[in-house]
Amino acid sequence: HSALTQPASVSGSPGQSINISCTGTSSDVGGYNYVSWFQQYPDKAPKLLIFDVSNRPSGISSRFSGSKSGNTASLTISGLQAEDEADYYCRSYTSSSTGVFGTGTKVTVL
Amino acid sequence: QVQLVQSGAEVKGPGASVKVSCEASGYIFTTHGISWVRQAPGQGLEWVAWISPYSGNTNYAQRLQDRVSVTTDMSTSTVYMELRSLRPDDTAVYYCARDWVAVSKGTMDVWGEGTTITVSS
């Protein structure tokens, strides 16, 4: 399973909403509702933002939301804040019972 | 509190093996799986392997499955990841993360601090 495809970078002004796409195939993203999203700051461990396509763990801001259509999942960050500047990765379960991450997206707050 | 504590950094030569530990505490060990994820310098995340302490089932990334194995020590709630025949491109930070118990669903809600493995001659 090849890495899921994400845009290399996305930017937005404070208060705006941005979307990050994550495109896979019917053998991963499209085949299962097991898509997760992670936020990572430099030299830090990733942090779970979304699991099972659209569920937020306790303590995660409602500004983060997830969805899926076909083979593409999306993360939306609404009310963009300076602290949202980080790298974001999607991740999916696959038909081989393995996991695959996306290529990663760097979010810049202008 | 729930935490995963990993072993310290290692430097290995090409062809050697390395075994990284991940000790779980603060929850019932058999209720969650453990995934391993690595990140090469300046690169993205790569899923490596998963184990269920409940069933003993394992899954490995296809491109690493001939060189990697994960095991558990139930007496100490510790998961081990061994990587053999090390190559320079195995140089990375290796993370363990708590995952779902039945399959590697990706609900990785607790992460270890990471273990840096450097492969160099």
Side-chain angles (χ1 to χ4, degrees):
Chain A
H1 292 266
S2 301
L4 307 175
T5 301
Q6 298 181 231
S9 63
V10 173
S11 62
S13 300
Q16 286 187 326
S17 292
I18 61 170
N19 292 296
I20 302 171
S21 61
C22 170
T23 301
T25 69
S26 58
S27 295
D28 38 63
V29 174
Y32 307 91
N33 288 324
Y34 294 162
V35 176
S36 309
W37 289 90
F38 298 87
Q39 177 191 61
Q40 187 182 34
Y41 294 111
D43 298 321
K44 298 294 186 182
K47 177 181 180 181
L48 179 66
L49 296 177
I50 298 288
F51 67 96
D52 294 355
V53 176
S54 60
N55 292 292
R56 280 188 309 276
S58 60
I60 297 301
S61 170
S62 58
R63 297 187 302 106
F64 296 94
S65 61
S67 63
K68 190 185 85 167
S69 177
N71 296 337
T72 298
S74 296
L75 174 72
T76 299
I77 308 176
S78 59
L80 198 62
Q81 299 178 0
E83 67 200 48
D84 299 331
E85 190 160 292
D87 293 326
Y88 292 81
Y89 294 90
C90 62
R91 190 267 190 193
S92 177
Y93 179 72
T94 80
S95 59
S96 302
S97 301
T98 59
V100 61
F101 279 97
T103 49
T105 298
K106 182 176 182 60
V107 169
T108 301
V109 181
L110 302 172
Chain B
Q1 74 280 23
V2 177
Q3 61 177 350
L4 300 173
V5 178
Q6 299 184 223
S7 49
E10 305 239 25
V11 179
K12 297 288 186 180
S17 297
V18 69
K19 197 168 187 178
V20 182
S21 67
C22 171
E23 182 178 4
S25 62
Y27 71 97
I28 299 172
F29 188 51
T30 52
T31 60
H32 290 80
I34 295 287
S35 275
W36 288 88
V37 175
R38 72 179 183 178
Q39 187 169 36
Q43 303 301 308
L45 302 174
E46 180 182 14
W47 182 84
V48 173
W50 166 90
I51 187 167
S52 170
Y54 175 77
S55 64
N57 289 342
T58 57
N59 290 114
Y60 301 110
Q62 185 173 16
R63 76 188 202 97
L64 294 172
Q65 63 182 5
D66 293 338
R67 299 193 295 125
V68 67
S69 57
V70 288
T71 56
T72 58
D73 182 339
M74 303 300 286
S75 68
T76 59
S77 299
T78 300
V79 175
Y80 296 92
M81 183 213 61
E82 182 178 33
L83 188 59
R84 301 174 293 277
S85 301
L86 288 167
R87 310 191 295 230
D89 63 357
D90 291 320
T91 295
V93 177
Y94 288 74
Y95 295 101
C96 63
R98 192 175 76 162
D99 202 336
W100 201 40
V101 68
V103 294
S104 180
K105 195 168 66 151
T107 49
M108 292 180 274
D109 61 342
V110 179
W111 291 68
E113 71 271 37
T115 297
T116 299
I117 303 299
T118 303
V119 183
S120 174
S121 54

